[in-house]
Amino acid sequence: RNNIPPLHAPLEEGHPPRAIRYALLAGAHYRSQLAFSPELLKGAESAVKRLDEFAIRLGPTEDGAQPPLDVRTRWDAALDDDLNVPAAVGHLFEFIKGFNPRIEAADASPEDRAAAMAMLRHANRILDVMEFPPTSVDAEVERLIGQRERARQARDFRRSDEIRAVLMAVGIPLDDLQDGTRGRRMRDE
């Protein structure tokens, strides 16, 4: 019984290629039958979005950091255990769930953020589904983000919305976080 449709079918239904890849890799252990379904694809889209959002929330980080040893060890051990990608991904999301409150509380140092980003990059060597924010946003974009932030603080929401629209028009949506606003370039799907 083959329940996997031709590859063009989910693409034609509008599912992003990264979500399809994630569903195929993490939907079931490779020795188990994959229950390929719209629900699986929807869950994969959600998972990829969560990974992307976590990378954005980490913000620009310094290169050269090493992933936190505990989560990297669990990730690598799951892959060493008969290529158990679903278990490895479970460890990754457990790490993200534990790290998010530290971001929200502004309790993650730049070194902690860089290590978390290094873990995402380590995992993405296998998954190849994550979209990473640019390491630096060009000066004009930063200037506009600063203007928008000042407009928001002055409660000039009309100007704030105008700046958001300008940035969105050039493919840079904004994420308003507790510790400030971050811009990211949209990925072509």
Side-chain angles (χ1 to χ4, degrees):
R1 296 183 185 159
N2 185 359
N3 69 343
I4 298 181
L7 186 56
H8 64 85
L11 288 170
E12 289 171 358
E13 292 170 6
H15 296 288
R18 295 186 302 143
I20 296 168
R21 178 178 172 81
Y22 182 91
L24 292 172
L25 283 171
H29 188 273
Y30 78 93
R31 289 183 189 233
S32 301
Q33 185 171 356
L34 178 65
F36 201 81
S37 66
E39 293 78 23
L40 176 68
L41 287 169
K42 189 173 188 142
E45 286 180 43
S46 175
V48 169
K49 182 179 178 185
R50 284 179 55 207
L51 291 168
D52 287 346
E53 288 173 352
F54 184 65
I56 290 165
R57 294 184 80 209
L58 290 173
T61 60
E62 294 295 320
D63 291 334
Q66 293 298 312
L69 188 58
D70 62 330
V71 67
R72 181 179 179 162
T73 300
R74 288 182 284 140
W75 169 272
D76 290 346
L79 294 179
D80 288 344
D81 182 20
D82 199 25
L83 198 61
N84 194 342
V85 176
V89 167
H91 296 308
L92 181 62
F93 277 109
E94 182 181 304
F95 168 72
I96 291 169
K97 183 179 178 181
F99 201 91
N100 270 327
R102 295 181 60 200
I103 294 172
E104 290 170 13
D107 190 33
S109 70
E111 294 80 18
D112 293 338
R113 288 174 183 251
M117 183 66 80
M119 184 60 219
L120 288 182
R121 292 187 187 284
H122 180 70
N124 205 48
R125 289 177 41 223
I126 301 297
L127 298 174
D128 193 26
V129 297
M130 291 178 231
E131 175 70 19
F132 294 101
T135 53
S136 64
V137 180
D138 62 65
E140 177 64 12
V141 171
E142 290 219 15
R143 185 184 67 75
L144 287 170
I145 290 173
Q147 281 183 1
R148 181 175 175 274
E149 194 65 29
R150 286 188 293 281
R152 288 180 69 218
Q153 289 170 354
R155 304 193 61 76
D156 184 356
F157 298 114
R158 187 180 64 78
R159 177 68 181 143
S160 172
D161 290 344
E162 288 171 0
I163 295 170
R164 177 185 285 276
V166 166
L167 290 168
M168 184 61 117
V170 295
I172 302 175
L174 298 178
D175 295 304
D176 294 318
L177 306 171
Q178 188 174 16
D179 60 343
T181 300
R182 290 203 175 82
R184 62 183 165 92
R185 298 212 183 273
M186 290 175 29
R187 176 183 177 134
D188 294 330
E189 292 285 0

